[in-house]
Amino acid sequence: MLNYNDILADKVKNIKPSGIRKFFDILDEMKDIISLTVGQPDFVTPWHIREAGIESLEKGKTYYTSNSGSLELREEISRYLYRRFNLNYSAKDEIIVTVGGSEAIDIAIRALVNPGDEVIIPVPSFVCYEPMVSLAGGKAVMVATKEKDKFKLTAAALQAAITPKTKLLVLPYPNNPTGAIMTAEDLEAIASVLRHTNIMVLADEIYAELTYGRKHVSIATLDGMRERTIIASGFSKAYAMTGWRLGYTLAPREISQQMLKIHQFAIMCAPTTSQYAAIEAMREGDEDIANMRDEYNRRRRYIVNSLKGIGLDCFEPEGAFYVFPNIGGFGMNSDTFCERLLYEEGVAIVPGTAFGECGEGFARISYAYSVSHIALALDKIEKFLAKVKAER
Amino acid sequence: MKNLLQLIENDSKLTAEQLAVMLDTDVEEVKESIKAFEDQGIILAYKTIIDWDKTDREYVTALIELKVAPQRDKGFERIAEKIYNYPEVQSVYLMSGSYDLAVMLEGHTMREVAYFVAKKLAPLESIVSTATHFVLRKYKDEGVIFENIEVDERGNCL
């Protein structure tokens, strides 16, 4: 019998298995659960976009595109970014179409991080940055964001985490799981810390279209920041296209050239069918986004209001489709709270600790569900809270 | 308040409290708006969409095309009124194109519908001709897809 432990790569073995997997496995086996755990839209990709994908198959467009994605799509992405976010990226050599935002994050980190480099990651945040950094031989430096700061990264916290080894700052806003955003002023404070350094920014802007009340601002639009920023974004959240696996990187030419080497050898090119669907999304999808955003916003208001009504404190999220209520006042940790809620009331929410230790005391609730589904879940959460309070 | 109408058009079970929060307004305003919409006849009824095919109820739906000779001064109004007053009649539309009135009709059997057309509709004065089409299957009605049993197949990815 082979001893795989001797065979497998240390870097991979050293990645901590995701704790939340266990919770999801339990969840998958239980019946009649009311889940608020899902991190993807409940909308189906708009029909005209699906149709464009189908039509490309009917026409036999089943070949590879160029490594960085079809020029037609890159041109549409370039136009869209200018139209929506005032960003200027050349279709020719500054945009790479990737397999989802996840690959965009991966190639950005791999292109920048040398062994020993430090990467600053605000937490709670999406779970992929740390393992990607450690696979690249870098060291993840977590910076806890606070509820009192609305889970924004502050200039002071950033400054305190910077060392001579700092290579990169990950800027994941609008944020999963907190729903926090960074305004132009918030970003300016971060930019003023970075401008006179060689530290790069990886802005994960996958939720850029889903902000409520004010438009997303990209740090790359601030003075002097474009040259030190890589943006990772994609189609999944804005167009309800998670399963199509399509994203992109935006970066100055010199960086894009290097990222493209990783992409072309590891991936070849993003799926062609998805690229054709995405062209349609870019050309005719602005209204779809607006409609979905309006619907998320209504649910957001409803869920925040209802959570407060049943006695769960919740800072008001302004982006993505999550709320991150404070569940710390019930005499149990987040894992126990979520497990008991699941077993006793059949409602699933994600413990904040799934997104970093500083998520202790919080839970992520997704509102990518219908209002009636959310209402049903909230009734049960209210019942659970009453029971927990009675116990104490 | 267009948003309010669109919301309750899709889900009339939303309460005034829920609507107020979703639309960032207060409950009283929602209640007053709904009352005003009802008074002005903008909101006409609150109904439920039922897939009767999944029940054991025997019924048949027909679309009847009517060609009508319009009456002096009254146009199509008088004949439309005569038709829509029959409780069997679900809807009556004035159409452009090759016929004038489209009538949706529900009956227990095809025979019953045919009888209604022959005995009630066709003899009405000013009806020039009728063409009856039976609905074989409803795929989508009122924006709702039938046979659509919603199962959440989304994977749990963070």
Side-chain angles (χ1 to χ4, degrees):
Chain A
M1 175 82 188
L2 288 174
N3 183 353
Y4 291 118
N5 203 38
D6 293 341
I7 294 169
L8 287 161
D10 294 335
K11 269 189 203 168
V12 179
K13 283 188 298 183
N14 290 342
I15 297 175
K16 273 179 279 168
S18 156
I20 194 65
R21 211 51 270 166
K22 200 182 84 198
F23 185 74
F24 284 155
D25 289 344
I26 298 171
L27 191 57
D28 287 342
E29 280 170 20
M30 289 177 72
K31 283 219 166 78
D32 298 323
I33 295 302
I34 302 170
S35 175
L36 297 174
T37 58
V38 158
Q40 52 178 321
D42 58 323
F43 299 101
V44 180
T45 310
W47 173 241
H48 66 104
I49 298 173
R50 283 186 275 160
E51 209 173 21
I54 293 165
E55 194 188 334
S56 78
L57 289 173
E58 284 173 348
K59 287 185 174 162
K61 300 188 177 187
T62 56
Y63 37 69
Y64 300 129
T65 64
S66 74
N67 291 130
S68 53
S70 83
L71 183 62
E72 196 183 4
L73 174 56
R74 282 178 284 138
E75 282 171 345
E76 288 299 338
I77 292 172
S78 178
R79 276 193 280 273
Y80 158 86
L81 291 165
Y82 181 70
R83 176 171 84 238
R84 296 287 306 156
F85 302 109
N86 203 25
L87 290 165
N88 280 295
Y89 284 92
S90 156
K92 195 168 140 272
D93 49 17
E94 294 185 315
I95 298 174
I96 302 171
V97 179
T98 59
V99 178
S102 300
E103 194 221 340
I105 293 162
D106 179 28
I107 62 175
I109 288 172
R110 282 204 267 173
L112 288 174
V113 174
N114 276 320
D117 284 350
E118 292 180 359
V119 177
I120 297 173
I121 303 171
V123 279
S125 59
F126 183 52
V127 291
C128 82
Y129 311 116
E130 184 186 9
M132 291 295 158
V133 168
S134 58
L135 279 177
K139 184 183 163 210
V141 177
M142 305 304 192
V143 174
T145 58
K146 307 254 167 50
E147 187 183 27
K148 70 173 171 57
D149 298 324
K150 298 181 168 180
F151 293 107
K152 294 167 191 271
L153 176 66
T154 64
L158 171 62
Q159 190 72 65
I162 291 175
T163 75
K165 289 182 180 166
T166 305
K167 167 63 69 71
L168 176 67
L169 164 67
V170 177
L171 203 58
Y173 294 93
N175 183 271
N176 169 13
T178 63
I181 62 159
M182 295 281 279
T183 64
E185 298 76 52
D186 300 329
L187 291 172
E188 181 50 44
I190 298 301
S192 63
V193 174
L194 298 178
R195 269 193 197 104
H196 309 292
T197 70
N198 285 332
I199 299 170
M200 296 290 297
V201 176
L202 169 56
D204 181 351
E205 301 189 357
I206 190 75
Y207 289 99
E209 286 284 7
L210 300 180
T211 61
Y212 311 105
R214 58 180 126 200
K215 234 177 131 172
H216 172 73
V217 177
S218 175
I219 195 165
T221 59
L222 303 187
D223 274 353
M225 292 309 292
R226 186 187 186 279
E227 61 180 3
R228 56 189 87 240
T229 300
I230 302 176
I231 295 173
S233 191
F235 294 82
S236 294
K237 316 294 179 176
Y239 297 95
M241 290 180 74
T242 47
W244 299 80
R245 307 310 306 124
L246 209 66
Y248 47 83
T249 58
L250 311 169
R253 185 192 308 125
E254 294 77 1
I255 298 174
S256 293
Q257 280 169 350
Q258 301 302 321
M259 292 195 296
L260 186 58
K261 289 198 278 188
I262 308 170
H263 174 74
Q264 81 184 54
F265 293 124
I267 298 290
M268 190 74 80
C269 71
T272 301
T273 312
S274 303
Q275 291 192 47
Y276 276 101
I279 290 169
E280 169 70 16
M282 299 263 92
R283 284 186 184 150
E284 304 291 340
D286 287 7
E287 201 183 321
D288 299 312
I289 294 178
N291 289 338
M292 290 191 265
R293 184 195 301 120
D294 285 351
E295 177 61 23
Y296 287 131
N297 193 17
R298 290 191 283 262
R299 297 173 186 177
R300 178 185 69 102
R301 281 200 288 258
Y302 174 65
I303 201 166
V304 169
N305 188 281
S306 304
L307 286 172
K308 285 180 181 159
I310 63 175
L312 273 187
D313 269 348
C314 181
F315 104 101
E316 184 165 348
E318 291 184 65
F321 37 62
Y322 310 105
V323 288
F324 204 59
N326 189 326
I327 54 166
F330 299 94
M332 57 186 122
N333 67 26
S334 302
D335 288 6
T336 308
F337 184 98
C338 294
E339 272 174 33
R340 279 194 60 187
L341 180 61
L342 178 62
Y343 286 124
E344 294 171 30
E345 291 298 331
V347 173
I349 61 177
V350 181
T353 45
F355 304 93
E357 282 163 27
C358 68
E360 180 55 71
F362 298 88
R364 186 188 79 174
I365 298 182
S366 163
Y367 50 89
Y369 293 90
S370 70
V371 169
S372 54
H373 182 97
I374 294 169
L376 198 61
L378 288 172
D379 281 349
K380 289 178 176 280
I381 293 175
E382 184 174 18
K383 221 172 111 193
F384 177 70
L385 294 181
K387 189 161 108 185
V388 167
K389 277 179 198 153
E391 284 169 9
R392 288 170 53 109
Chain B
M1 279 286 127
K2 196 182 97 213
N3 283 338
L4 171 60
L5 285 174
Q6 284 170 342
L7 276 180
I8 52 180
E9 185 181 26
N10 285 325
D11 185 358
S12 60
K13 283 174 78 178
L14 291 170
T15 64
E17 285 74 17
Q18 289 172 329
L19 289 164
V21 174
M22 290 164 76
L23 294 167
D24 199 17
T25 178
D26 63 66
V27 182
E28 285 314 309
E29 197 170 317
V30 169
K31 284 180 178 167
E32 280 165 25
S33 298
I34 289 176
K35 176 81 168 52
F37 286 139
E38 289 170 351
D39 291 347
Q40 293 161 30
I42 293 172
I43 293 175
L44 292 166
Y46 302 88
K47 295 192 62 167
T48 305
I49 295 169
I50 296 170
D51 186 353
W52 286 108
D53 286 352
K54 294 208 178 94
T55 70
D56 53 10
R57 176 179 177 235
E58 286 295 324
Y59 79 106
V60 59
T61 310
L63 166 72
I64 299 149
E65 300 173 1
L66 295 178
K67 284 188 186 160
V68 180
Q71 292 173 306
R72 186 186 297 268
D73 301 331
K74 299 265 174 25
F76 295 99
E77 302 299 315
R78 181 80 190 109
I79 185 75
E81 188 184 347
K82 280 195 173 182
I83 294 169
Y84 67 59
N85 277 324
Y86 287 109
E88 300 89 327
V89 169
Q90 301 286 307
S91 41
V92 180
Y93 305 131
L94 179 63
M95 308 295 289
S96 68
S98 61
Y99 61 98
D100 303 301
L101 293 176
V103 175
M104 294 294 290
L105 197 66
E106 211 168 77
H108 292 102
T109 60
M110 284 167 84
R111 189 187 177 84
E112 188 182 291
V113 170
Y115 185 85
F116 180 83
V117 174
K119 298 288 177 184
K120 304 278 176 62
L121 289 185
L124 288 173
E125 67 174 314
S126 74
I127 297 285
V128 178
S129 71
T130 70
T132 303
H133 308 276
F134 287 101
V135 173
L136 300 181
R137 182 168 173 190
K138 283 186 193 173
Y139 293 103
K140 187 176 183 180
D141 208 4
E142 301 285 337
V144 177
I145 297 172
F146 285 48
E147 290 295 319
N148 228 20
I149 299 168
E150 281 190 17
V151 179
D152 194 343
E153 293 177 339
R154 291 177 287 169
N156 259 316
C157 299
L158 288 176

